[in-house]
Amino acid sequence: MNRQLSELSASELNEAIDDTNFPQSHAMSRQRNSSVCSTSSNSAVMGLSDSVRSLSNLENELQVDETQTCKDQSNNIENVNDANPRSKPIGFMRREHPTTLLKMNGSVEGKFDVPGTPKTPRTSTTPGHENCTFHHDLELDHKPPTREALLPEMARSYRLLLGSLGEDPDRQGLLKTPERAAKAMLFFTKGYDQSLEEALNGAVFDEDHDEMVVVKDIEMFSMCEHHLVPFYGKVSIGYLPCKKILGLSKLARIVEIFSRRLQVQERLTKQIAVAVTQAVQPAGVAVVIEGVHMCMVMRGVQKINSKTVTSTMLGVFRDDPKTREEFLNLVTSK
Ligand SMILES: Nc1nc2c(ncn2[C@@H]2O[C@H](COP(=O)(O)OP(=O)(O)OP(=O)(O)O)[C@@H](O)[C@H]2O)c(=O)[nH]1
Ligand SMILES: [Zn+2]
């Protein structure tokens, strides 16, 4: 790739750091008793691609803009309450390293591309969604108009499913089940209907502040795209602002946009990081997700205590071990 990250659109960036080649989006499975079963930042993990691009390749693609540095601020500790009571904003930590600026095309205000003009071709087509890229790509501004209209067809499918199970879809207790199930599935995947621009609602503020902001333990509920069963867990997000800060609750809203879809945990992690980058063009973004996959609990290998940890580090979080360590210390502290 010849161009720098700053020149890539969200969808192009998404491709550039896709699950198969992004060295800092890694997974770690461990038991709840903290004994690490397997860990990897550059080698294959169960269910992960074994093709991992070298760090040096990606370094060439990451932009390090030495001319734009954020001024260090005084040791300004601030507690801010998030709308989500279980999310814990940690405040702003003093940073002792030079900043670099991670930039991407398109800021929040009016710079999104025109909806319905996909930048990357769809890999498959679903009736009614021929022009959508949102199922597979990071078309953050795309709002499909007809998902509600899919409800009757979905309900019919669930009715067939009940029949396939040997149930009588016409028995009293199941009469409304197909429609209920269809509505539930629409809810579980409502992120397809949401755009970054809507979720942010303009809550991007100019602020000469460049200390680390971390919101941790944001609850996440998603659907495994392989088995259509839930996976859930918590998300921690950190970023180093560069002239712009984001309304704290918007980090949790970004988690909603991408978790309420059919997902794999690795892609979810990366999409959240890309969205935060697109929202405020910070010096760096870090995202860690700890997830429990019901497909590994209720079926399959039936490992009820296993957790999957994934992370994506961009900008200074990737380049500077001290910054990354500071973030990881914050998210692992009680
Ligand atoms: N990397 C990754 N893999 C996932 C995720 N969710 C589910 N999987 C895996 O997807 C894989 C699908 O493997 P298959 O062998 O095709 O399906 P399966 O026979 O149902 O596999 P088992 O779960 O091992 O019984 C499994 O290894 C799942 O653990 C995820 O978020 N990320
Ligand atoms: Zn699964």
Side-chain angles (χ1 to χ4, degrees):
M1 185 174 297
N2 296 325
R3 288 182 298 158
Q4 292 180 311
L5 271 190
S6 59
E7 297 170 307
L8 300 179
S9 66
S11 57
E12 288 170 325
L13 182 71
N14 192 39
E15 277 194 351
I17 59 172
D18 73 17
D19 300 327
T20 61
N21 64 14
F22 188 55
Q24 294 297 331
S25 180
H26 58 268
M28 176 168 70
S29 291
R30 68 182 182 202
Q31 303 293 315
R32 279 206 180 100
N33 64 9
S34 296
S35 68
V36 174
C37 291
S38 69
T39 177
S40 170
S41 60
N42 56 10
S43 60
V45 178
M46 279 284 286
L48 285 174
S49 166
D50 51 9
S51 164
V52 180
R53 194 167 37 164
S54 74
L55 195 66
S56 59
N57 278 353
L58 195 78
E59 264 165 13
N60 294 335
E61 293 159 22
L62 271 172
Q63 181 193 30
V64 179
D65 187 342
E66 303 290 355
T67 62
Q68 300 197 51
T69 56
C70 297
K71 276 185 285 175
D72 276 346
Q73 293 256 323
S74 60
N75 198 356
N76 196 10
I77 305 297
E78 209 172 296
N79 288 317
V80 191
N81 287 327
D82 186 4
N84 182 343
R86 291 179 60 190
S87 301
K88 299 173 194 157
I90 304 184
F92 307 123
M93 307 299 295
R94 183 159 181 78
R95 187 157 39 85
E96 293 171 352
H97 49 74
T99 52
T100 53
L101 182 64
L102 180 66
K103 290 194 298 185
M104 288 179 53
N105 276 357
S107 66
V108 174
E109 290 148 6
K111 291 190 186 169
F112 286 105
D113 291 333
V114 178
T117 48
K119 296 188 212 82
T120 52
R122 270 177 60 70
T123 49
S124 66
T125 51
T126 310
H129 292 259
E130 289 82 358
N131 295 322
C132 301
T133 58
F134 66 95
H135 290 109
H136 303 285
D137 306 319
L138 253 183
E139 286 296 308
L140 297 169
D141 56 351
H142 184 70
K143 185 168 181 177
T146 59
R147 291 191 76 237
E148 289 287 322
L150 293 176
L151 211 51
E153 192 186 325
M154 288 173 68
R156 273 196 296 279
S157 302
Y158 277 114
R159 191 181 154 84
L160 283 176
L161 185 65
L162 288 173
S164 307
L165 291 173
E167 272 285 2
D168 173 11
D170 291 321
R171 76 175 168 85
Q172 196 254 355
L174 293 179
L175 274 179
K176 292 174 81 176
T177 296
E179 194 186 338
R180 286 192 205 99
K183 282 181 179 166
M185 183 55 87
L186 272 187
F187 185 86
F188 298 149
T189 58
K190 67 186 170 78
Y192 289 132
D193 284 334
Q194 296 169 338
S195 71
L196 181 63
E197 191 172 21
E198 270 180 352
L200 298 185
N201 193 30
V204 175
F205 309 108
D206 293 334
E207 192 67 42
D208 195 13
H209 180 88
D210 64 353
E211 307 302 326
M212 190 183 298
V213 181
V214 177
V215 177
K216 72 175 189 176
D217 296 343
I218 301 166
E219 305 100 305
M220 170 277 291
F221 298 93
S222 191
M223 295 289 282
C224 160
E225 71 179 19
H226 302 129
H227 299 97
L228 299 184
V229 295
F231 67 94
Y232 65 93
K234 53 189 185 179
V235 183
S236 295
I237 305 173
Y239 72 99
L240 275 173
C242 206
K243 311 282 186 216
K244 287 180 188 172
I245 57 170
L246 190 56
L248 286 172
S249 68
K250 306 308 179 190
L251 292 169
R253 291 193 184 279
I254 288 173
V255 171
E256 282 290 298
I257 294 175
F258 295 105
S259 58
R260 299 295 190 173
R261 301 177 179 201
L262 303 186
Q263 275 290 8
V264 294
Q265 190 173 318
E266 295 91 331
R267 186 170 66 235
L268 173 59
T269 313
K270 178 184 60 184
Q271 287 178 326
I272 292 167
V274 169
V276 175
T277 304
Q278 192 171 40
V280 284
Q281 296 96 45
V285 181
V287 179
V288 172
I289 301 183
E290 188 174 280
V292 175
H293 290 248
M294 295 312 286
C295 62
M296 286 178 66
V297 173
M298 290 179 67
R299 57 158 299 287
V301 288
Q302 299 184 56
K303 296 299 175 199
I304 61 171
N305 289 321
S306 69
K307 286 183 171 182
T308 302
V309 181
T310 48
S311 72
T312 294
M313 303 283 161
L314 298 177
V316 289
F317 288 92
R318 191 184 69 79
D319 296 333
D320 180 11
K322 278 177 75 179
T323 308
R324 185 163 61 241
E325 192 184 328
E326 185 179 310
F327 169 74
L328 292 174
N329 285 339
L330 286 170
V331 299
T332 52
S333 67
K334 292 285 175 202

